[in-house]
């Protein structure tokens, strides 16, 4: 999935580079930057040569040096038409180098200066992907996951008919599943600790806000468990009934049904 995103981003930026190349006229390549990207002692250069060298470095896979050179285009020639293009190319270069913080910063700077530019959807999408590709497993803090969710939602809200929105909607499914998984992990921990009300709140959040994820059936079962532990069998029956109505063939419904029969026989939904 992520590989596909990188390919589509590269194709988009390639088009931008081709457009830029038509403005170049036989620019000679110059030195001043090792392949490790550590040499940043730039001198003043004409904008076409500087942009051309940055493009060459990017195409050669030296993404960190390419990003630095694109930044130098903007620094040395801030009022040039090249500066706007270089901002976006810098963001893409940082993204390709997996320096996601700088990729986000470059894309955000582009949007702050050129909010209505035709490439704004791409910049928003690049920000979203930079967060998305940092998503950790559910055992860890989910701050980045939440940032990815917000950024992907923004792409879909602002540009619903774009190719970026279509991909953003697909990625939102995974993001929501991660966030729901974290809520489930915390809720189960509270259950094991006997903190039933705290657990109830976590599982209810999954049912209310992540009901289309794979975690919803278990959340309803856990709500059934917690309700019985809290001494409200009518609520337990209610959750079991909702589970049966929405996931009748689920193992979680079978467990909830057996649990209610054993622990609250004769109880009715409250």
């Amino acid at each position: 999935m992520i590989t596909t995103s990188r390919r589509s981003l590269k194709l988009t930026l390639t088009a931008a580079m081709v457009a830029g190349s038509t403005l170049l006229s036989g620019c000679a390549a110059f030195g001043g930057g090792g392949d490790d990207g550590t040499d940043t002692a730039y001198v003043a250069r004409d904008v076409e040569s500087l942009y051309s060298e940055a493009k060459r470095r990017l195409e050669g896979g030296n993404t960190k040096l390419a990003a630095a050179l694109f930044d130098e285009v903007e620094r040395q020639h801030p009022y040039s038409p090249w500066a706007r293009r270089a901002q976006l190319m810098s963001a893409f270069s940082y993204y390709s180098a997996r320096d996601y913080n700088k990729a986000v910063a470059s894309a955000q700077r582009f949007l702050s200066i050129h909010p209505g530019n035709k490439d704004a959807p791409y910049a928003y999408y690049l920000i979203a992907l930079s967060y998305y590709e940092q998503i950790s497993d559910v055992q860890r803090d989910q701050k980045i996951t939440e940032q990815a969710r917000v950024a992907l939602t923004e792409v879909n809200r602002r540009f619903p008919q774009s190719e970026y929105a279509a991909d953003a909607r697909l990625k939102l499914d995974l993001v929501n599943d991660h966030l729901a998984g974290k809520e489930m992990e915390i809720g189960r921990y509270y259950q094991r600790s006997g903190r039933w009300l705290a657990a109830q709140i976590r599982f209810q959040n999954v049912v209310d806000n992540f009901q289309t994820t794979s975690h919803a059936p278990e959340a309803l079962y856990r709500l059934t468990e917690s309700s019985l532990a809290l001494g409200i069998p009518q609520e337990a029956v209610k959750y079991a009934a909702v589970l049966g109505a929405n996931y009748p063939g689920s193992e979680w419904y079978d467990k909830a049904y057996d649990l209610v029969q054993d622990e609250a026989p004769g109880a009715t939904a409250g």
Side-chain angles (χ1 to χ4, degrees), residues 79-96:
Y79 306 110
S80 160
W82 296 89
R84 180 178 66 248
R85 187 179 299 112
Q87 285 177 342
L88 207 53
M89 295 300 295
S90 169
F92 175 72
S93 298
Y94 282 125
Y95 169 82
S96 298

Side-chain angles (χ1 to χ4, degrees), residues 10-179:
K10 187 173 182 179
L11 289 173
T12 303
L13 262 293
T14 298
M17 290 193 295
V18 169
S21 297
T22 61
L23 300 179
L24 297 172
S25 54
C27 299
F30 54 84
D35 287 341
D36 62 356
T38 56
D39 185 356
T40 55
Y42 304 121
V43 296
R45 296 162 178 148
D46 64 280
V47 65
E48 291 89 351
S49 295
L50 189 55
Y51 188 94
S52 179
E53 178 66 4
K55 172 178 172 289
R56 186 177 72 83
R57 296 291 185 167
L58 179 59
E59 292 175 337
N62 195 344
T63 52
K64 289 185 177 180
L65 182 56
L69 286 166
F70 283 124
D71 286 342
E72 195 68 6
V73 170
E74 182 185 0
R75 188 186 72 81
Q76 292 191 21
H77 307 278
Y79 306 110
S80 160
W82 296 89
R84 180 178 66 248
R85 187 179 299 112
Q87 285 177 342
L88 207 53
M89 295 300 295
S90 169
F92 175 72
S93 298
Y94 282 125
Y95 169 82
S96 298
R98 291 179 169 79
D99 191 338
Y100 298 117
N101 289 338
K102 288 185 178 179
V104 169
S106 292
Q108 288 177 336
R109 185 171 67 253
F110 174 86
L111 289 170
S112 68
I113 300 173
H114 314 288
N117 187 270
K118 63 181 179 61
D119 291 319
Y122 177 85
Y124 277 104
Y125 182 61
L126 189 55
I127 290 169
L129 283 187
S130 295
Y131 288 128
Y132 176 80
E133 294 197 14
Q134 298 179 76
I135 292 176
S136 59
D137 62 58
V138 296
Q139 303 298 319
R140 303 177 64 183
D141 177 72
Q142 295 297 296
K143 179 181 178 181
I144 287 289
T145 311
E146 179 60 30
Q147 289 175 308
R149 186 189 68 81
V150 171
L152 289 165
T153 300
E154 189 73 355
V155 171
N156 187 48
R157 183 185 71 83
R158 287 177 176 269
F159 315 103
Q161 305 305 317
S162 70
E163 60 180 308
Y164 305 124
D167 190 56
R169 288 190 289 271
L170 291 175
K171 287 177 168 53
L172 275 170
D173 289 340
L174 177 62
V175 169
N176 287 330
D177 202 73
H178 269 269
L179 292 171

